[in-house]
Amino acid sequence: MLRSVFRTRSLPNVNHPRYSLFLCIGSVFHLQNIINMRDLQTIRLMNGIPSRAPQSTSAEKVVKSYEEAVRQLNTLQTNAAVLERIRLEQGRRVKNNLPTVIEFAKRIGLTLDKLDKLSIIHVSGTKGKGSVCAFCESILKANGVKTGFYTSPHLVEVRERIRINGKPLPKDLFTHHFFTVFNRLEASKPDDGVDAMPGYFRFLTLMAYHVFLEEKVDVAIMEVGIGGTYDCTNIHRCPTVVGISSLGIDHTSLLGDTIKEIAWQKAGICKPDRPAFSVQQPEDGLEVIHETAKERKVSLIQRCPSLSSYGFKDQPIEVGLAGVHQHINASLALQLCKTWMEEKHKDIIFESISDEPSLKKAKLTNGDEAHDASVSCDMAMAQPFVLPDSFIKGLKNCYWPGRNQTFSRDRVTYYVDGAHTPRSMKACQKWFEESAQLEAAKIDGPVARILIFNSTGDRDESPLLEVLMASNFDGAVFCPNIASVYAAQNSAGKPRTDQTNYNTTSSKQMMRCERNLATFDKILKESTSQAAADKVTETDNELSHSSMSTPVYSSTAHTGVAASRTQLAHQTSSLHTSTVKPDTKLVVMCCIQDAIQWAACCKDLQLGSPSLEDPIPPDASRAAKHIQVLVCGSLHLVGGVIKILDPNLAVTKL
């Protein structure tokens, strides 16, 4: 049941003496038209009134102005009804996006000639593009370069989207630049009212370009929003270098539902006479990228080698972002940064790897760095190189919150990742499984696992949840991307506006949560039935092959108390399917705060206890010495969790 916190405020009683007093006080201000300021000052002093009202501190002013800026920004969001109409049109008007954005840019004094002055690294892709940009930021910052980084979405505060030297814009600076751009647009509205103001993402993109020019950054690292060809970030004409991260099926209503269609959209950021790089891709996707890049007359198009093929000067490969899948993102970032440094800082010399034939073709590690399409695609492989110390430092120190991130509080460990596509969810599950097993092996006592999940938009949740079945959760809670329904205010008593979302409704979000639960329940029952059938078959095989010397896993190896999760982790992946927990408890909560409290089961002492109205947590959670909570399915969900647990995690590492 939704617990409402909204309060109604009664109208004033006009017959009350205080109300008459307010009217009198209000009329006093009209005296300023007939009494000069010196006389008014005398009257104030004679009556013991301070000459000036107490001034608020500069910090209070900044916060207030920042909140005002965010509230104004939120008015530019597309409401749910309009957004649904756009989706139904299947993006037919998307081709008009760039000309429209360019016109908005002109209205704030941002011409294409001015944009040409920015040195831009532009990155598109379905998954990993934000990580690639974060690696680029960290590497170039380690080389003394003043970096600008535009990304989306934000986790806690909208100012995270525009970063200078690895830090979100300070509130005063964000406020200053916001109102500069906003007021220019307000003052130049066309008479017909058509395209009077840009939408939320368009505005922030224009603001980012404005900020990077005004703050005179050395490099502007621009992450594409959706697609590439028609994305708002694609209005510049001459990037220094572009990169394309891993492709996958996402945003199908806008980009198409095949890898080929999506690859064409992503490759649309390629520009004439400028170099481009791509990570390893599915074969048909790589071919489209190659052909599109050539059609756009790039100076160079190459695919990236594996991270293990670079020279680390006998140092271990250390990457700041967890997960083997981040290695190919790091490789793309290395190629982008090397290209940028060679053009902008020609004093740095990159040592090539040995010319031994065995090193000319990069190695692929465990198949995690994508598909090697070299057999049928003639896209050349970029050459690995010996990393300068500053590049090694940049890779190691990279911090990108909400992606394969782990933090512990009391007897709960939170594993958070914004994975929301089938491919990224596989990487997320693999990372969680390996990390959780290592932690569980060090804990003397039972460990429970809880999933917090949400999936939004036009995504099919089935393939995402099917992947997660392998982790055998004791409970799963499905909630909307709403931080809390109890307190619409932050600790300072001011309205929380950074995570306001007009693109959907709370009722639609709750319906989606119910759908997610029903899908998980269906998969769980099907997996349980299959596991039972497999057990019968296995028992029959044991009886008929009892004389074989090769050991066969018995049913107790799957369900017995003696078989811990740590032991099972070292068996084949098929064992996870047969250890599906039929009693996994599934619940829907109305907000993230409730979901976290239910998942933590009173073992995170910094959280409040679950309400008596909430469902009882699983028996395994109550009996556990430690609880491992995986949060995934949506970056907005991850942002809400970080906002509740520790907002500082969105900016700095613990």
Side-chain angles (χ1 to χ4, degrees):
M1 179 179 70
L2 282 171
R3 282 172 269 176
S4 175
V5 293
F6 299 107
R7 301 282 186 267
T8 58
R9 190 173 292 179
S10 59
L11 294 172
N13 181 359
V14 295
N15 295 318
H16 196 282
R18 287 184 181 177
Y19 189 76
S20 300
L21 178 61
F22 291 153
L23 292 177
C24 293
I25 292 174
S27 64
V28 169
F29 289 103
H30 291 291
L31 293 175
Q32 293 181 13
N33 295 324
I34 56 176
I35 302 178
N36 64 44
M37 293 303 298
R38 186 185 310 168
D39 292 338
L40 184 60
Q41 180 76 350
T42 301
I43 293 172
R44 292 172 62 87
L45 292 173
M46 288 175 61
N47 287 277
I49 303 173
S51 60
R52 290 186 180 181
Q55 299 296 306
S56 59
T57 65
S58 59
E60 289 173 340
K61 284 183 177 180
V62 168
V63 171
K64 180 180 179 181
S65 297
Y66 174 74
E67 294 290 349
E68 289 174 356
V70 177
R71 278 194 291 272
Q72 289 280 14
L73 175 63
N74 286 338
T75 66
L76 303 179
Q77 288 191 40
T78 306
N79 66 45
V82 174
L83 194 63
E84 183 62 26
R85 188 172 71 247
I86 293 172
R87 285 172 178 154
L88 291 174
E89 292 176 351
Q90 296 292 308
R92 287 192 292 268
R93 294 187 298 175
V94 71
K95 293 183 180 180
N96 299 327
N97 190 43
L98 292 186
T100 302
V101 175
I102 290 172
E103 285 303 312
F104 282 127
K106 291 178 181 177
R107 284 170 51 188
I108 66 171
L110 191 62
T111 65
L112 295 183
D113 287 339
K114 285 186 178 180
L115 283 181
D116 288 343
K117 296 178 181 178
L118 284 174
S119 179
I120 294 172
I121 295 177
H122 201 193
V123 182
S124 68
T126 306
K127 286 303 300 177
K129 59 183 183 290
S131 298
V132 172
C133 291
F135 277 126
C136 288
E137 177 190 59
S138 184
I139 292 169
L140 293 178
K141 193 158 68 76
N143 281 275
V145 176
K146 184 176 182 179
T147 61
F149 177 14
Y150 175 60
T151 182
S152 63
H154 60 276
L155 295 178
V156 177
E157 294 185 319
V158 68
R159 62 193 183 94
E160 298 163 26
R161 296 186 182 219
I162 305 175
R163 295 157 53 123
I164 303 290
N165 281 337
K167 299 290 181 63
L169 276 185
K171 289 185 176 181
D172 58 345
L173 202 56
F174 181 95
T175 302
H176 166 71
H177 287 302
F178 172 85
F179 281 112
T180 297
V181 174
F182 188 86
N183 292 339
R184 288 178 184 177
L185 288 166
E186 280 282 346
S188 60
K189 285 182 177 179
D191 295 335
D192 58 10
V194 177
D195 289 327
M197 294 291 285
Y200 188 92
F201 184 77
R202 284 177 174 176
F203 182 94
L204 287 172
T205 303
L206 294 172
M207 180 177 164
Y209 280 126
H210 168 81
V211 168
F212 295 154
L213 283 167
E214 291 295 312
E215 298 300 319
K216 296 179 172 56
V217 299
D218 297 321
V219 60
I221 304 166
M222 303 294 295
E223 178 192 352
V224 166
I226 295 177
T229 301
Y230 304 117
D231 186 72
C232 300
T233 61
N234 203 27
I235 61 173
H236 56 259
R237 299 179 296 195
C238 192
T240 303
V241 61
V242 304
I244 303 171
S245 68
S246 298
L247 301 178
I249 304 296
D250 199 17
H251 299 295
T252 53
S253 61
L254 294 174
L255 307 180
D257 54 11
T258 67
I259 287 293
K260 285 187 176 183
E261 291 175 301
I262 292 171
W264 180 84
Q265 293 277 0
K266 305 299 183 182
I269 65 171
C270 294
K271 295 293 191 295
D273 300 320
R274 304 311 305 163
F277 296 88
S278 170
V279 302
Q280 302 282 355
Q281 306 283 6
E283 181 179 321
D284 49 355
L286 199 64
E287 289 177 348
V288 172
I289 290 173
H290 194 206
E291 291 302 317
T292 304
K294 289 195 297 184
E295 289 171 3
R296 292 176 178 266
K297 304 185 186 308
V298 297
S299 61
L300 174 77
I301 175 66
Q302 292 182 338
R303 54 199 173 101
C304 297
S306 68
L307 189 63
S308 58
S309 63
Y310 291 85
F312 278 79
K313 300 179 179 179
D314 295 326
Q315 299 182 45
I317 298 177
E318 292 186 80
V319 176
L321 306 186
V324 178
H325 61 283
Q326 291 290 358
H327 287 190
I328 192 60
N329 295 329
S331 177
L332 176 55
L334 290 174
Q335 294 294 333
L336 296 175
C337 291
K338 174 178 179 287
T339 302
W340 190 90
M341 291 291 289
E342 285 178 331
E343 181 167 326
K344 301 300 179 180
H345 288 260
K346 298 182 179 180
D347 52 330
I348 188 168
I349 299 175
F350 292 92
E351 182 183 346
S352 62
I353 294 289
S354 169
D355 289 329
E356 290 294 321
S358 61
L359 291 178
K360 286 186 176 180
K361 180 173 176 59
K363 296 173 284 186
L364 295 177
T365 307
N366 299 326
D368 288 304
E369 299 197 21
H371 309 277
D372 187 355
S374 60
V375 175
S376 57
C377 180
D378 59 354
M379 185 187 295
M381 180 78 79
Q383 290 299 306
F385 53 93
V386 177
L387 301 185
D389 291 337
S390 56
F391 276 51
I392 295 174
K393 178 182 177 182
L395 287 179
K396 181 180 179 180
N397 293 341
C398 181
Y399 180 63
W400 192 224
R403 288 80 173 173
N404 301 121
Q405 188 174 10
T406 305
F407 46 94
S408 298
R409 304 200 327 177
D410 302 312
R411 293 161 59 195
V412 181
T413 301
Y414 299 92
Y415 298 81
V416 298
D417 186 55
H420 56 268
T421 66
R423 186 173 175 184
S424 63
M425 192 59 76
K426 289 178 182 177
C428 170
Q429 193 276 332
K430 177 179 173 64
W431 159 74
F432 170 71
E433 194 65 36
E434 293 174 350
S435 303
Q437 293 294 347
L438 288 174
E439 181 190 43
K442 301 174 184 177
I443 297 173
D444 183 19
V447 177
R449 289 182 175 184
I450 302 295
L451 171 68
I452 300 179
F453 180 88
N454 191 30
S455 181
T456 61
D458 56 3
R459 298 184 180 96
D460 180 3
E461 69 278 2
S462 296
L464 308 182
L465 293 171
E466 286 173 356
V467 171
L468 294 172
M469 292 299 299
S471 289
N472 306 317
F473 292 99
D474 297 290
V477 53
F478 304 88
C479 66
N481 298 334
I482 299 172
S484 176
V485 295
Y486 312 119
Q489 296 181 331
N490 58 24
S491 59
K494 297 181 175 64
R496 288 174 168 172
T497 54
D498 289 88
Q499 293 184 332
T500 300
N501 183 4
Y502 298 131
N503 294 337
T504 186
T505 63
S506 58
S507 60
K508 284 186 177 180
Q509 290 192 67
M510 290 303 296
M511 288 173 61
R512 182 57 184 264
C513 293
E514 296 286 354
R515 191 180 101 181
N516 291 338
L517 182 145
T519 301
F520 194 87
D521 187 43
K522 178 182 178 183
I523 298 171
L524 182 66
K525 289 175 179 176
E526 291 174 349
S527 300
T528 303
S529 299
Q530 183 62 47
D534 291 344
K535 185 185 292 187
V536 171
T537 302
E538 183 178 314
T539 302
D540 291 341
N541 288 337
E542 286 179 353
L543 292 173
S544 60
H545 299 285
S546 58
S547 61
M548 294 178 62
S549 58
T550 303
V552 178
Y553 297 112
S554 66
S555 58
T556 56
H558 301 282
T559 58
V561 177
S564 69
R565 273 208 186 95
T566 305
Q567 293 169 325
L568 291 174
H570 298 292
Q571 314 298 347
T572 62
S573 60
S574 62
L575 283 179
H576 290 293
T577 303
S578 59
T579 55
V580 170
K581 288 187 168 76
D583 58 343
T584 300
K585 191 157 191 175
L586 310 181
V587 299
V588 168
M589 294 293 188
C590 61
C591 66
I592 297 171
Q593 179 179 327
D594 278 356
I596 298 175
Q597 289 177 348
W598 186 86
C601 194
C602 300
K603 290 177 173 58
D604 182 345
L605 302 182
Q606 300 176 59
L607 290 175
S609 301
S611 168
L612 294 176
E613 301 174 7
D614 292 339
I616 298 173
D619 292 341
S621 295
R622 288 182 287 167
K625 185 170 183 179
H626 196 85
I627 296 178
Q628 297 171 327
V629 179
L630 173 63
V631 183
C632 61
S634 166
L635 261 176
H636 297 287
L637 172 67
V638 166
V641 169
I642 290 176
K643 181 176 185 176
I644 289 172
L645 296 180
D646 187 354
N648 292 324
L649 288 171
V651 181
T652 57
K653 191 182 301 186
L654 282 177

